Amino acid sequence: MLAAFQQRFPASAQGKLVIAHLGNGASMCAISEGRSVASTMGFSALDGLPMGTRCGQLDPGVLLYLMDQKSMTASEISDLLYKHSGLLGLSGLSNDMRTLQASPDQAAAEAIDYFVFRCQRELGAMAAALGGLDALVFCGGIGENSSAIRARICSRLAWMGVEIDAAANEHGESVISSTSSRALVLVIPTNQELVIASAAFHSPKALFHEDMAMKGALNAQSAAAMIPDGARLMIGGFMAVGTPERLIDALVERGA
């Protein structure tokens, strides 16, 4: 995501940036001069923002209460916090924001309210860590597709210099900040599968021919030897299945 931002908006690339990845998994990252300086994540992926089924930030006293008063085991608590909390736990209905937005149930509305509030609060924390804000990027399933959630989050961020153009936001344009906004507000699609696949094949364990590495090309024969036959790999949204050579070819064809 940072690479995409730097490529499309080079003039803002060295400024104070917050990337808000909002989806079934959700987190924010504060970036200054191209370097991460703060994140909503903690020791695990449970911390920070409430997510589809994960709780987000939680008072440790809750864990003590569940063990002492409810006699829950570590396994039961883990299952609760990872699979039955977040939007699903708050609403009692669904982990899908679209379902909650379409529901007339008060619990669904309260789950959305809490999600928006926590996004606003964490954005304030990220801006404080940065000492200001030059750009805000929305990505992830909710961040990219829900104009209503983006509008609600930004509605209380004027003090940070954030002001969105209602029409641009509704139409899902790349730049949704108004002309008078001090901070640039963007919507940039993310491609997690391709990033993961590319990182895996460009890890220190990957083998390259010296002359091919100079061109950024994979040595298919060497890399293929590291992948078992019948392996499955998500590449850019589709599943590649088969021999190591086929998986390597698929990666190269997709521009990994």
Side-chain angles (χ1 to χ4, degrees), residues 44-113:
S44 73
L46 281 176
D47 201 10
L49 297 171
M51 304 169 224
T53 62
R54 283 175 273 171
C55 60
Q57 187 181 49
L58 188 70
D59 182 346
V62 173
L63 306 181
L64 300 177
Y65 171 81
L66 293 175
M67 291 187 290
D68 183 50
Q69 300 297 318
K70 299 298 182 180
S71 301
M72 293 181 68
T73 65
S75 178
E76 290 171 332
I77 293 173
S78 177
D79 186 67
L80 173 66
L81 299 184
Y82 276 99
K83 299 179 181 179
H84 302 284
S85 298
L87 294 176
L88 175 61
L90 289 167
S91 69
L93 177 64
S94 175
N95 66 314
D96 193 318
M97 181 63 77
R98 294 167 297 187
T99 300
L100 300 184
Q101 288 178 302
S103 173
D105 196 301
Q106 181 62 29
E110 290 175 353
I112 296 173
D113 288 345

Side-chain angles (χ1 to χ4, degrees), residues 89-217:
L90 289 167
S91 69
L93 177 64
S94 175
N95 66 314
D96 193 318
M97 181 63 77
R98 294 167 297 187
T99 300
L100 300 184
Q101 288 178 302
S103 173
D105 196 301
Q106 181 62 29
E110 290 175 353
I112 296 173
D113 288 345
Y114 181 69
F115 180 82
V116 170
F117 164 73
R118 286 304 311 277
C119 286
Q120 293 169 332
R121 194 174 97 170
E122 293 301 329
L123 269 168
M126 295 297 102
L130 289 167
L133 183 69
D134 296 318
L136 168 61
V137 176
F138 286 102
C139 57
I142 299 172
E144 293 170 27
N145 300 303
S146 179
S147 59
I149 296 298
R150 292 195 302 263
R152 288 190 60 181
I153 291 173
C154 293
S155 67
R156 300 188 66 182
L157 303 181
W159 63 275
M160 292 167 53
V162 172
E163 180 181 308
I164 64 171
D165 181 306
N169 179 52
E170 185 64 30
H171 296 151
E173 296 181 10
S174 295
V175 179
I176 62 172
S177 46
S178 68
T179 55
S180 59
S181 178
R182 298 197 308 274
L184 187 64
V185 186
L186 310 166
V187 179
I188 302 179
T190 187
N191 190 335
Q192 292 174 289
E193 294 90 352
L194 187 58
V195 171
I196 293 170
S198 180
F201 279 92
H202 289 81
S203 72
K205 293 182 180 179
L207 302 177
F208 295 82
H209 260 288
E210 183 176 352
D211 58 337
M212 295 182 73
M214 294 297 292
K215 301 176 183 178

